[in-house]
Every structure is written in structure tokens, then in C-alpha cells.
Amino acid sequence: MGEILEMRLIERVELDQGRIGALYRQLGADGADNVMCRAMEELAVRMSLCRSLWQEGKTAQLRKNARSLIAISEQLGMKRLAQVAGDVTACIDDRDSVAVSATLSRMLRTGERSLSAIWSMQERSL
């Protein structure tokens, strides 16, 4: 029997430092920290909801939640996540369930890595 290879899919994260900096300049450190924390929490909740909606076959609600992820990601400067969430909605619009499954998985991986990157960035600034 041959070797079994395990593929580890690692998504690239792209954070817009300028967007994050602008948020801190506009709201001050405390205000920006508050907005960032609430947005990160909402992002995590919506990503989990997207997974559940797909498993339940609720594509209309999945599309709505993926669209909301775009706005939240852009607010946090998560360019790559916003792009992949847009790809999910495009696949839903195309009624391509295989592509939805693949891009949704990619969106969830990208979201998790993006949240980790923001969290690490905030810890370094403390």
C-alpha cells in the first residue's frame, strides 16, 4: 500500500493596516478597541452560522450571512476574507453547490486565520 498524504490547507491573510489605523485615529484607542472586539465577535458568530446554514441547506440565509461578512470584514480591514465571502455569494448565485462547499470552506479557514491575525496584532500592541 502507498503512502497517505495529508493536505493542510493554509489560507493567506490580508489585513489592511491603513484601514485599522484609520479606525483608531477616528475613534481613539478605547473606541476602536470596542468596535474591533464587537466586530470580531460578530464575525465569529456569523462564520459559525454560515457553516450551520450550509449543512441545513438554507442557501438563501447563507447568502445573506456571507454578504454581511463582507461588510464586517471590510470594517476590520480583512481584505482577503471580504473577497472570499464575495466568492461564496457568487457561487450561490450560480447555483453551483460544489463550488459553494469549496469556497465556504475556504472562507471559514480564511476567517479563522484573519481573526487570529487581528487578535495577535492587538496582543502585540498591549
Side-chain angles (χ1 to χ4, degrees):
M1 194 159 245
E3 278 186 55
I4 297 176
L5 298 175
E6 180 182 344
M7 290 178 50
R8 292 188 186 166
L9 301 173
I10 299 173
E11 300 300 334
R12 199 175 90 199
V13 173
E14 193 173 331
L15 299 177
D16 182 352
Q17 298 291 334
R19 176 68 192 120
I20 296 167
L23 196 60
Y24 276 83
R25 283 189 302 280
Q26 290 170 350
L27 303 175
D30 290 340
D33 283 343
N34 188 24
V35 166
M36 295 282 286
C37 287
R38 282 187 287 131
M40 288 171 56
E41 182 179 336
E42 185 65 24
L43 194 64
V45 167
R46 289 196 180 262
M47 286 183 349
S48 178
L49 182 57
C50 283
R51 178 182 285 121
S52 297
L53 291 169
W54 176 245
Q55 291 169 344
E56 295 166 11
K58 298 178 178 177
T59 54
Q61 293 95 328
L62 171 59
R63 186 185 189 288
K64 181 179 177 183
N65 275 277
R67 293 287 307 156
S68 70
L69 283 176
I70 295 170
I72 298 167
S73 320
E74 288 174 344
Q75 179 185 23
L76 293 173
M78 297 176 174
K79 292 173 142 183
R80 179 74 56 196
L81 181 56
Q83 175 191 359
V84 179
D87 294 341
V88 170
T89 61
C91 292
I92 292 170
D93 292 344
D94 290 343
R95 296 182 180 351
D96 186 341
S97 61
V98 173
V100 172
S101 183
T103 55
L104 177 62
S105 293
R106 182 172 182 220
M107 183 188 80
L108 296 173
R109 288 190 308 270
T110 302
E112 289 168 8
R113 287 191 45 99
S114 297
L115 285 170
S116 293
I118 290 278
W119 189 256
S120 295
M121 185 182 73
Q122 285 184 318
E123 284 180 342
R124 282 192 302 260
S125 68
L126 294 177

